[in-house]
Amino acid sequence: MGEDKPVDMAVEGDEISKKALKKQQKKVEKAAKKAEHKVQAQAQQEVNQEEDVSVESYGDTELIQSKEKHAERIFTDIKNLILSLENQTVWLRGRLHTSRAKGKQCFIVLRQQSYTVQGLVTVNEKISKQMVKFISNITKESIVDVQATVKRVPSEIESCTQKDVEVHLEKVFVVSAAKAQLPLQIEDASRSMGETDDNALNIKVNQDTRLDNRVLDLRTPANQAIYRVEAAVCKLFRDILTSKGFVEIHTPKIISAASEGGANVFTVSYFKGNAYLAQSPQLYKQMAIAADFDKVFTIGAVFRAEDSNTYRHLTEFVGLDLEMAFKYHYHEVVNTIGHLFTEMFKGLRDNYTAEIEAVRQQYNVEPFKFLDPPLKLEFCDAIELLAEAGITLGEEDDLSTSDEKLLGKLVKTKYDTDFYILDKYPLAVRPFYTMPDPINPKASNSYDMFMRGEEIISGAQRIHDPEFLMKRALHHGIDVEKIKAYIDAFRYGCPPHAGGGIGLERVVMLYLGLDNIRKVSMFPRDPKRLTP
């Protein structure tokens, strides 16, 4: 019995050894097959690489870090792709707007700012399947460099700005790839507001989504046009006034007291005390007149701490302000400002038709109408027009927003103009520095100007006598010690003067006929929005 036990153990040990060996053999065989597959895959990849005749003509570029210059690569703007370039090879840089693969072809639309061109790539002896597939997989909004030949098309391409030509792609390199998942589609954000929603996939992008993703939203053709029109308003304002002898000045935005004596100011910490963000450059424009600059203007940020969540209010906007000395009557200034507006309107109409039309493509509104010289009414005329329409106002009442809109419609019907001047406002509704009317003690030498029934400039003759100015300030409950420097500026002699402040965004909104000021503020600030 004692001899049987070792024999059994040996048999069991043999069985264990055989199993281990068999397991090891399978492991070796599996590794060998894996290695073989790897070799085959590498071989196939090499074959594919050899077959890819376009391998040098597409791909992702290295991160551009200004390491080298490509002097030989001269780029053409998409807007300049016209029939005269037919059969010429060009380099383009733009965004991949859309792409559509179909068999051995891929159609793309390349976009550069507001301009688009159709591109086509087809498998041939120089273009590989791999290249076509690569192009079809480029994410929308990626920035690409394209070498292509300009070709005439048999019929106009309605979906692109460049309608008579397309480009046949030869090389495509991704310069900066966009994420695959965009928070909004440019096609959706560009869709006409009046477009009927026949397709359930047509998505309307709401305002908050647009503003939360402003960088994408600003790429739409309408937005590209809006901010070119806005730039034009600034340029025309500056050029027209400069040609009239005005001097551009720059005024402080951090001040020691509220600009106009109101409570709607932003308070900021200023070392050991407080300061305020300027509601207006008003006081400094006047001080410049007292300093013998005669005619001045400024373009800059204006801050209003008003909790107004309306379509036309912002807490920060761009002010176009001007001030001018006159000889005998403040209408010298009123006429100058009226002429300024008509010249700006002419400049926009004559030189920015493409931009205005691009905006109208998305926001279908009536063209802006104006008279030259502009229509001028007195406040009493406005009261009469409103009374005829059933609205009764007292001679010391201000116009409400609804009154202004109705008045705008009445004026448009009667005079066929979207722009007019309203003169002689009640003294009670104007700031402390407004000169009272010398004949009617309830009226003032002040004026507003309107576009499409909404106020875009408020102005007046200013009080240039220091004692009278102090009296009016006290009447308005203003601490004269806080505006001592302002009042003192008139103690050394100051010419009679008048001026006004214009809201840039409001002018652009109303000229283009848009329904919300946030559409014309690149990164709007209101009581609920402080980003982006």
Side-chain angles (χ1 to χ4, degrees), residues 455-469:
E455 174 233 313
I456 44 87
I457 176 173
S458 184
Q461 177 183 353
R462 326 300 189 179
I463 297 172
H464 58 284
D465 177 82
E467 302 306 324
F468 191 15
L469 184 60

Side-chain angles (χ1 to χ4, degrees), residues 53 79 89 91 161 181 218 242 250 265 271 293 297 304-305 402 453 469 501:
V53 294
K79 67 180 178 181
T89 299
W91 274 100
T161 62
Q181 189 63 43
L218 289 172
T242 300
H250 303 282
V265 291
F271 301 102
F293 280 89
F297 73 90
R304 299 284 169 89
S402 58
L469 184 60

Side-chain angles (χ1 to χ4, degrees), residues 403-430:
D403 293 338
E404 289 178 351
K405 287 184 177 181
L406 176 57
L407 182 61
K409 290 178 181 177
L410 297 173
V411 169
K412 179 71 178 289
T413 301
K414 187 171 183 177
Y415 300 100
D416 197 30
T417 179
D418 287 311
F419 176 71
Y420 69 95
I421 301 167
L422 194 56
D423 194 21
K424 294 293 180 185
Y425 266 74
L427 180 63
V429 301
R430 306 304 274 200

Side-chain angles (χ1 to χ4, degrees), residues 63-107:
L63 180 67
I64 295 178
Q65 293 182 285
S66 304
K67 183 172 65 176
E68 57 187 3
K69 298 178 182 179
H70 286 279
E72 76 284 357
R73 193 175 290 184
I74 299 172
F75 287 89
T76 300
D77 288 340
I78 287 177
K79 67 180 178 181
N80 294 329
L81 294 176
I82 54 178
L83 282 173
S84 62
L85 293 179
E86 186 179 6
N87 295 324
Q88 291 188 32
T89 299
V90 295
W91 274 100
L92 308 171
R93 174 170 289 183
R95 292 190 182 274
L96 185 80
H97 186 62
T98 60
S99 65
R100 178 171 55 88
K102 187 178 180 181
K104 295 183 178 181
Q105 290 184 327
C106 183
F107 288 90

Side-chain angles (χ1 to χ4, degrees), residues 282-321:
Q282 179 58 47
L283 311 186
Y284 295 96
K285 289 187 301 175
Q286 290 187 255
M287 290 165 77
I289 297 299
D292 287 346
F293 280 89
D294 197 46
K295 301 175 182 178
V296 297
F297 73 90
T298 181
I299 301 174
V302 176
F303 302 91
R304 299 284 169 89
E306 298 174 357
D307 193 8
S308 299
N309 295 283
T310 74
Y311 70 93
R312 65 176 192 164
H313 286 95
L314 294 171
T315 53
E316 178 185 350
F317 61 90
V318 177
L320 308 177
D321 283 80

Side-chain angles (χ1 to χ4, degrees), residues 217-238:
D217 183 46
L218 289 172
R219 294 177 188 175
T220 65
N223 277 331
Q224 289 287 310
I226 285 169
Y227 292 98
R228 282 164 174 73
V229 171
E230 191 160 284
V233 171
C234 275
K235 182 180 187 302
L236 289 164
F237 179 81
R238 178 177 279 116

